[in-house]
Amino acid sequence: MPFTLEVRSTGGGTQPPWHAPTRAAWLAIALASLLGCLAPAALAIEDEFLTDEDRALLITAVEAAFELDLYNARCRNDRSGRRTENLNKELASRFRMTVLDVLDDLFPEGYYRAARERMRDDFLTRLRDMGGCAGAKEAGLRDELGARYEAAMAQIAARP
């Protein structure tokens, strides 16, 4: 015997209990969802919770991850951005912020795109001064960048 759904008329214009929510209910759901999404975005990094040492550590870690990812993208054809993603996970769990929050709130430019552009230009100038990727490989730049990144990640992980 096949399953059938019987719909009964309730008469008088009232909707059956399984009917879709009313317009007011949809508006309430939409408003609650919007406020839930905007609330975290509206929060800036709370200055009273970060010490000067924390700020310096966050800036160093973001710069180290960015430079190592940029080196890998330019000289090793690895565009994964793995170091920045790993840092993002660590920052989210320890500080309740992201790399973009650090770029926007702690870097002097005050805007993540401007900060990334400056860091990219500085790194590419350094790379050019070393003689490009070949010169950077001979000088051990990758190892230097990796050590800086690992040290910053270890300091973040050691923070209570």
Side-chain angles (χ1 to χ4, degrees):
M1 178 166 160
F3 175 78
T4 60
L5 178 64
E6 181 181 357
V7 179
R8 298 179 187 193
S9 174
T10 58
T14 60
Q15 297 176 347
W18 61 82
H19 194 287
T22 63
R23 181 179 296 184
W26 279 115
L27 288 174
I29 291 169
L31 181 61
S33 298
L34 181 63
L35 290 176
C37 291
L38 291 179
L43 297 175
I45 297 173
E46 296 291 334
D47 285 334
E48 62 265 11
F49 296 118
L50 292 178
T51 64
D52 289 338
E53 182 180 312
D54 290 337
R55 286 185 195 90
L57 174 60
L58 293 175
I59 289 170
T60 299
V62 169
E63 287 176 341
F66 183 83
E67 287 178 350
L68 188 53
D69 284 341
L70 186 57
Y71 173 85
N72 286 334
R74 298 285 294 200
C75 298
R76 300 184 72 224
N77 204 22
D78 175 10
R79 302 195 192 302
S80 66
R82 194 173 12 177
R83 285 17 175 245
T84 301
E85 288 302 316
N86 290 342
L87 176 61
N88 220 18
K89 291 174 190 174
E90 194 69 26
L91 291 178
S93 67
R94 297 226 181 248
F95 291 95
R96 303 279 191 246
M97 67 178 72
T98 64
V99 169
L100 290 180
D101 291 331
V102 174
L103 289 169
D104 279 342
D105 296 339
L106 299 181
F107 275 70
E109 292 85 1
Y111 183 56
Y112 76 95
R113 287 185 179 162
R116 285 194 306 197
E117 184 177 332
R118 179 199 40 90
M119 287 190 300
R120 186 190 73 236
D121 292 345
D122 290 348
F123 181 76
L124 293 178
T125 300
R126 180 179 177 192
L127 191 62
R128 185 177 50 245
D129 291 346
M130 295 180 93
C133 290
K137 287 177 184 178
E138 288 175 18
L141 181 61
R142 180 175 183 267
D143 294 335
E144 176 188 328
L145 295 174
R148 182 176 175 214
Y149 170 78
E150 291 300 328
M153 290 297 285
Q155 287 179 339
I156 290 173
R159 189 181 177 281

